[in-house]
Amino acid sequence: MFILICISADFDPVHKGHEKLISEARKIADNESKKLVVYLNKGFSANHAPFFVDFDARSEMALALGADEVKSFEGLHHRLVLSYSVPIRLTQMINDGGSDYITSASISLNEIAKKAQKFIDEGNFVGMPKNYTNRNEIRWYALNEFLGSKLKFHIVKELNKDKYSGRLIRQSIIDNDYTITSETRKLLPKSTVEILEREIDKNNIDLGRNWEDIYKRMNTYSRGNLSKIAYLNGKTINEIIKKRVYSNPESVWAAFRRSDYGPVMTRLAISSIEMDVTKREVMDLMKSYEAENVIPEMQKVSKVIDRAWYVATKTNEGMSAREANNNFRQGNVEVSDAPLSIDAGLNLTRFETKIMKEGLNADLYVDKNNKISVQLKSEGKKIKTNLRLPAREVTYLRYIMDSHFIPVSGTSKKDKKGYKINVKIA
């Protein structure tokens, strides 16, 4: 058995706040004859950004301060939000034989437990309030309880967060032409400074994003192809199309600001574009962890679909979307079977009707007029048209299409009165 340390800051780079955390963990590990293991995110940070310092260098920083071993979490943070990645990471630690979890916070363990209770009771860990102090630690605690309290929690008093900030340290190094100023050195352990300077000399730092691929996809993908990428909703896709051409990071960020994405969701969406992550890929990943009983019940793909159908049904009956969502979140509702297949009518011109065929693949998207539309190709020609659906089905389908990770697909089918699109959900 061993004690585990996981830090939401990603050790990018390791500063004196992390040094204090490792030191306290080392005391517990030595006192209980346990192994001190640091789990670091690899590929993308927990905040869905590329790393300033690569995995090997960050591992070296942790080992220099007393960790016995470093392990990685990989392939998660360009695909999943924290409410999904945290239970996966906790489960990996538990399966590895972990007994304890230690982190830093400005509030006590009792305060964390009190704030976490609401989410534990609901079994839903999406939407942690932004005004919660240490909300990431609250999420980890709540999900550990959901998994059966397998890890014993320890809290180390957090150093001044405004001072010991990985973001500010990274920015200082960049702003000072990749040198570490005397003021920044005071915030870093000696071993971190030595490793950072070596990595800077090797030009192995602040590698950043593959902006070339991001620009290419944002500049050239159709609405239908953008709709397949995870974490892009209809409004965002239309904002992307509206402001082409993209040639610098600020123009990319501006597109997401216009569509009301916050910084975290923007980073996740940009990472998904960069890595060409599809909604189907994310859904399949979630389902694989659902099969292992890792994902909370209220966050399962089937529940997201049920919620969309329930809200669509209730708003069609006159209930507000807010009330319907609250009712569903509280878990005291019955949901009739949500349809996973819908036949939608088409508005075709005479020419389009002549070239239509059965079995054509159809890309669904939201057009510039906010209508659910479809694009098909037949005989070398593109057919673009709105779908004809009852109001409830329109609302339902929009919720699904804006869910960020549930794919929709369509196929043309012959009908007595012409052609329809058979829409498949998930």
Side-chain angles (χ1 to χ4, degrees), residues 142-175:
L143 280 157
N144 183 58
E145 291 295 305
F146 164 77
L147 292 170
S149 304
K150 299 291 181 64
L151 299 176
K152 181 181 178 182
F153 261 63
H154 303 264
I155 298 295
V156 174
K157 186 68 175 177
E158 187 176 64
L159 294 182
N160 186 331
K161 200 169 187 177
D162 293 332
K163 182 178 179 182
Y164 293 93
S165 161
R167 180 181 60 81
L168 294 178
I169 290 167
R170 294 190 295 271
Q171 196 59 54
S172 169
I173 294 171
I174 293 168
D175 291 345

Short mmCIF file of all heavy atoms in Angstrom, two decimals, residues 142-175:
data_model
loop_
_atom_site.label_atom_id
_atom_site.label_comp_id
_atom_site.label_asym_id
_atom_site.label_seq_id
_atom_site.Cartn_x
_atom_site.Cartn_y
_atom_site.Cartn_z
N ALA A 142 -15.86 14.76 -3.01
CA ALA A 142 -17.21 14.27 -3.28
C ALA A 142 -17.17 12.99 -4.11
O ALA A 142 -17.90 12.03 -3.84
CB ALA A 142 -18.04 15.34 -3.99
N LEU A 143 -16.32 12.96 -5.12
CA LEU A 143 -16.25 11.78 -5.97
C LEU A 143 -15.59 10.60 -5.26
O LEU A 143 -15.93 9.44 -5.51
CB LEU A 143 -15.52 12.12 -7.27
CG LEU A 143 -16.43 12.83 -8.28
CD1 LEU A 143 -15.65 13.65 -9.28
CD2 LEU A 143 -17.31 11.81 -8.99
N ASN A 144 -14.66 10.90 -4.35
CA ASN A 144 -14.09 9.82 -3.53
C ASN A 144 -15.18 9.18 -2.67
O ASN A 144 -15.24 7.95 -2.53
CB ASN A 144 -12.96 10.35 -2.66
CG ASN A 144 -12.29 9.26 -1.85
OD1 ASN A 144 -11.78 8.29 -2.40
ND2 ASN A 144 -12.28 9.41 -0.53
N GLU A 145 -16.08 10.01 -2.13
CA GLU A 145 -17.21 9.48 -1.36
C GLU A 145 -18.12 8.65 -2.26
O GLU A 145 -18.60 7.58 -1.87
CB GLU A 145 -18.00 10.64 -0.74
CG GLU A 145 -17.27 11.38 0.36
CD GLU A 145 -17.00 10.50 1.57
OE1 GLU A 145 -17.97 9.93 2.12
OE2 GLU A 145 -15.82 10.38 1.97
N PHE A 146 -18.36 9.13 -3.47
CA PHE A 146 -19.19 8.39 -4.43
C PHE A 146 -18.61 7.01 -4.70
O PHE A 146 -19.33 6.02 -4.84
CB PHE A 146 -19.31 9.18 -5.73
CG PHE A 146 -19.79 8.38 -6.90
CD1 PHE A 146 -21.14 8.06 -7.03
CD2 PHE A 146 -18.91 7.92 -7.87
CE1 PHE A 146 -21.59 7.30 -8.09
CE2 PHE A 146 -19.35 7.16 -8.93
CZ PHE A 146 -20.70 6.85 -9.05
N LEU A 147 -17.27 6.94 -4.77
CA LEU A 147 -16.61 5.66 -5.05
C LEU A 147 -16.47 4.79 -3.80
O LEU A 147 -15.90 3.70 -3.86
CB LEU A 147 -15.23 5.92 -5.66
CG LEU A 147 -15.24 6.53 -7.06
CD1 LEU A 147 -13.84 6.97 -7.46
CD2 LEU A 147 -15.79 5.56 -8.09
N GLY A 148 -17.01 5.25 -2.68
CA GLY A 148 -17.00 4.43 -1.47
C GLY A 148 -15.93 4.80 -0.47
O GLY A 148 -15.51 3.96 0.34
N SER A 149 -15.46 6.06 -0.51
CA SER A 149 -14.46 6.55 0.44
C SER A 149 -13.23 5.64 0.50
O SER A 149 -12.74 5.30 1.58
CB SER A 149 -15.08 6.68 1.85
OG SER A 149 -16.21 7.50 1.82
N LYS A 150 -12.74 5.26 -0.66
CA LYS A 150 -11.61 4.32 -0.70
C LYS A 150 -10.30 4.95 -0.26
O LYS A 150 -9.40 4.26 0.21
CB LYS A 150 -11.46 3.76 -2.12
CG LYS A 150 -12.69 3.00 -2.63
CD LYS A 150 -12.89 1.70 -1.90
CE LYS A 150 -14.09 0.93 -2.41
NZ LYS A 150 -13.97 0.51 -3.81
N LEU A 151 -10.15 6.27 -0.45
CA LEU A 151 -8.91 6.95 -0.09
C LEU A 151 -9.14 7.84 1.12
O LEU A 151 -10.12 8.57 1.19
CB LEU A 151 -8.40 7.81 -1.25
CG LEU A 151 -8.05 7.08 -2.55
CD1 LEU A 151 -7.64 8.08 -3.63
CD2 LEU A 151 -6.93 6.07 -2.33
N LYS A 152 -8.20 7.81 2.06
CA LYS A 152 -8.25 8.71 3.21
C LYS A 152 -7.71 10.07 2.77
O LYS A 152 -6.60 10.16 2.23
CB LYS A 152 -7.41 8.15 4.35
CG LYS A 152 -7.43 9.03 5.61
CD LYS A 152 -6.56 8.43 6.70
CE LYS A 152 -6.53 9.32 7.94
NZ LYS A 152 -5.64 8.76 9.00
N PHE A 153 -8.48 11.14 3.04
CA PHE A 153 -8.09 12.48 2.61
C PHE A 153 -7.24 13.19 3.66
O PHE A 153 -7.53 13.09 4.86
CB PHE A 153 -9.33 13.32 2.32
CG PHE A 153 -9.69 13.40 0.86
CD1 PHE A 153 -10.03 12.26 0.16
CD2 PHE A 153 -9.65 14.60 0.17
CE1 PHE A 153 -10.35 12.30 -1.18
CE2 PHE A 153 -9.96 14.66 -1.17
CZ PHE A 153 -10.31 13.51 -1.85
N HIS A 154 -6.22 13.91 3.18
CA HIS A 154 -5.41 14.77 4.04
C HIS A 154 -5.35 16.14 3.37
O HIS A 154 -5.19 16.25 2.15
CB HIS A 154 -3.97 14.24 4.16
CG HIS A 154 -3.87 12.84 4.66
ND1 HIS A 154 -3.65 12.52 5.98
CD2 HIS A 154 -3.96 11.65 4.01
CE1 HIS A 154 -3.61 11.21 6.13
NE2 HIS A 154 -3.79 10.65 4.93
N ILE A 155 -5.47 17.19 4.16
CA ILE A 155 -5.41 18.55 3.65
C ILE A 155 -4.21 19.28 4.25
O ILE A 155 -4.04 19.31 5.48
CB ILE A 155 -6.70 19.34 3.97
CG1 ILE A 155 -7.91 18.68 3.30
CG2 ILE A 155 -6.57 20.80 3.51
CD1 ILE A 155 -7.88 18.68 1.78
N VAL A 156 -3.39 19.85 3.39
CA VAL A 156 -2.26 20.69 3.81
C VAL A 156 -2.66 22.14 3.56
O VAL A 156 -3.21 22.46 2.50
CB VAL A 156 -0.99 20.34 3.02
CG1 VAL A 156 0.14 21.31 3.34
CG2 VAL A 156 -0.56 18.91 3.32
N LYS A 157 -2.40 23.02 4.52
CA LYS A 157 -2.75 24.44 4.36
C LYS A 157 -2.05 25.01 3.14
O LYS A 157 -0.82 24.94 3.01
CB LYS A 157 -2.36 25.22 5.62
CG LYS A 157 -2.80 26.67 5.61
CD LYS A 157 -4.32 26.80 5.69
CE LYS A 157 -4.75 28.25 5.80
NZ LYS A 157 -6.20 28.41 5.80
N GLU A 158 -2.83 25.60 2.29
CA GLU A 158 -2.33 26.15 1.03
C GLU A 158 -1.53 27.42 1.26
O GLU A 158 -1.93 28.29 2.04
CB GLU A 158 -3.53 26.43 0.13
CG GLU A 158 -3.22 26.85 -1.28
CD GLU A 158 -4.52 27.00 -2.07
OE1 GLU A 158 -5.33 27.88 -1.73
OE2 GLU A 158 -4.72 26.21 -3.00
N LEU A 159 -0.38 27.53 0.58
CA LEU A 159 0.37 28.79 0.61
C LEU A 159 -0.38 29.85 -0.19
O LEU A 159 -1.31 29.53 -0.92
CB LEU A 159 1.77 28.59 0.03
CG LEU A 159 2.72 27.67 0.81
CD1 LEU A 159 4.08 27.62 0.13
CD2 LEU A 159 2.89 28.14 2.26
N ASN A 160 0.03 31.08 -0.06
CA ASN A 160 -0.63 32.20 -0.76
C ASN A 160 -0.81 31.87 -2.25
O ASN A 160 0.15 31.84 -3.02
CB ASN A 160 0.22 33.46 -0.61
CG ASN A 160 -0.46 34.69 -1.18
OD1 ASN A 160 -1.24 34.61 -2.12
ND2 ASN A 160 -0.15 35.84 -0.60
N LYS A 161 -2.08 31.63 -2.64
CA LYS A 161 -2.36 31.18 -4.01
C LYS A 161 -2.04 32.25 -5.05
O LYS A 161 -1.65 31.94 -6.18
CB LYS A 161 -3.83 30.75 -4.12
CG LYS A 161 -4.11 29.84 -5.28
CD LYS A 161 -5.50 29.24 -5.17
CE LYS A 161 -5.74 28.20 -6.24
NZ LYS A 161 -7.07 27.56 -6.11
N ASP A 162 -2.22 33.51 -4.69
CA ASP A 162 -1.93 34.59 -5.63
C ASP A 162 -0.43 34.74 -5.87
O ASP A 162 -0.01 35.24 -6.92
CB ASP A 162 -2.49 35.91 -5.11
CG ASP A 162 -4.02 35.93 -5.09
OD1 ASP A 162 -4.61 35.21 -5.92
OD2 ASP A 162 -4.60 36.63 -4.24
N LYS A 163 0.35 34.29 -4.91
CA LYS A 163 1.80 34.39 -5.03
C LYS A 163 2.38 33.12 -5.65
O LYS A 163 3.16 33.18 -6.61
CB LYS A 163 2.41 34.63 -3.64
CG LYS A 163 3.93 34.80 -3.64
CD LYS A 163 4.42 35.08 -2.22
CE LYS A 163 5.94 35.22 -2.20
NZ LYS A 163 6.44 35.45 -0.81
N TYR A 164 1.99 31.98 -5.09
CA TYR A 164 2.51 30.71 -5.59
C TYR A 164 1.55 30.16 -6.65
O TYR A 164 0.75 29.27 -6.42
CB TYR A 164 2.68 29.72 -4.43
CG TYR A 164 3.75 30.15 -3.46
CD1 TYR A 164 3.45 30.92 -2.34
CD2 TYR A 164 5.08 29.81 -3.69
CE1 TYR A 164 4.44 31.33 -1.46
CE2 TYR A 164 6.08 30.23 -2.82
CZ TYR A 164 5.75 30.98 -1.71
OH TYR A 164 6.75 31.39 -0.86
N SER A 165 1.65 30.74 -7.81
CA SER A 165 0.76 30.40 -8.93
C SER A 165 1.60 29.93 -10.11
O SER A 165 2.46 30.67 -10.60
CB SER A 165 -0.06 31.63 -9.32
OG SER A 165 -0.58 31.49 -10.63
N GLY A 166 1.34 28.70 -10.56
CA GLY A 166 2.06 28.19 -11.72
C GLY A 166 1.87 29.07 -12.93
O GLY A 166 2.80 29.32 -13.71
N ARG A 167 0.65 29.61 -13.09
CA ARG A 167 0.34 30.47 -14.24
C ARG A 167 1.21 31.72 -14.22
O ARG A 167 1.78 32.12 -15.24
CB ARG A 167 -1.14 30.85 -14.23
CG ARG A 167 -1.56 31.75 -15.38
CD ARG A 167 -3.03 32.10 -15.29
NE ARG A 167 -3.37 32.81 -14.07
CZ ARG A 167 -3.18 34.11 -13.89
NH1 ARG A 167 -2.64 34.86 -14.85
NH2 ARG A 167 -3.52 34.69 -12.74
N LEU A 168 1.32 32.37 -13.02
CA LEU A 168 2.11 33.59 -12.93
C LEU A 168 3.60 33.32 -13.09
O LEU A 168 4.33 34.13 -13.67
CB LEU A 168 1.83 34.29 -11.60
CG LEU A 168 0.40 34.82 -11.41
CD1 LEU A 168 0.24 35.45 -10.03
CD2 LEU A 168 0.04 35.84 -12.51
N ILE A 169 4.05 32.18 -12.57
CA ILE A 169 5.46 31.80 -12.72
C ILE A 169 5.79 31.59 -14.20
O ILE A 169 6.79 32.08 -14.71
CB ILE A 169 5.77 30.53 -11.89
CG1 ILE A 169 5.71 30.86 -10.39
CG2 ILE A 169 7.13 29.95 -12.29
CD1 ILE A 169 5.69 29.65 -9.49
N ARG A 170 4.91 30.87 -14.90
CA ARG A 170 5.14 30.64 -16.33
C ARG A 170 5.16 31.95 -17.10
O ARG A 170 6.00 32.18 -17.97
CB ARG A 170 4.05 29.71 -16.89
CG ARG A 170 4.09 28.30 -16.33
CD ARG A 170 3.16 27.38 -17.08
NE ARG A 170 1.75 27.72 -16.96
CZ ARG A 170 0.94 27.27 -16.00
NH1 ARG A 170 1.42 26.50 -15.04
NH2 ARG A 170 -0.34 27.61 -15.97
N GLN A 171 4.20 32.84 -16.76
CA GLN A 171 4.11 34.12 -17.47
C GLN A 171 5.36 34.98 -17.22
O GLN A 171 5.84 35.66 -18.14
CB GLN A 171 2.85 34.87 -17.04
CG GLN A 171 2.46 36.01 -17.98
CD GLN A 171 2.21 35.54 -19.40
OE1 GLN A 171 1.41 34.64 -19.63
NE2 GLN A 171 2.90 36.14 -20.36
N SER A 172 5.86 34.95 -16.01
CA SER A 172 7.07 35.72 -15.69
C SER A 172 8.25 35.23 -16.54
O SER A 172 9.02 36.05 -17.07
CB SER A 172 7.41 35.58 -14.21
OG SER A 172 8.68 36.10 -13.92
N ILE A 173 8.38 33.93 -16.67
CA ILE A 173 9.50 33.37 -17.47
C ILE A 173 9.37 33.79 -18.93
O ILE A 173 10.34 34.19 -19.57
CB ILE A 173 9.54 31.83 -17.32
CG1 ILE A 173 9.88 31.46 -15.87
CG2 ILE A 173 10.55 31.23 -18.29
CD1 ILE A 173 9.75 29.99 -15.55
N ILE A 174 8.14 33.73 -19.46
CA ILE A 174 7.90 34.13 -20.86
C ILE A 174 8.18 35.62 -21.04
O ILE A 174 8.86 36.03 -21.98
CB ILE A 174 6.45 33.80 -21.27
CG1 ILE A 174 6.25 32.27 -21.30
CG2 ILE A 174 6.12 34.41 -22.63
CD1 ILE A 174 4.79 31.85 -21.41
N ASP A 175 7.63 36.44 -20.13
CA ASP A 175 7.76 37.90 -20.25
C ASP A 175 9.20 38.37 -20.14
O ASP A 175 9.55 39.45 -20.63
CB ASP A 175 6.91 38.60 -19.18
CG ASP A 175 5.41 38.45 -19.42
OD1 ASP A 175 5.04 38.06 -20.55
OD2 ASP A 175 4.63 38.72 -18.49
#
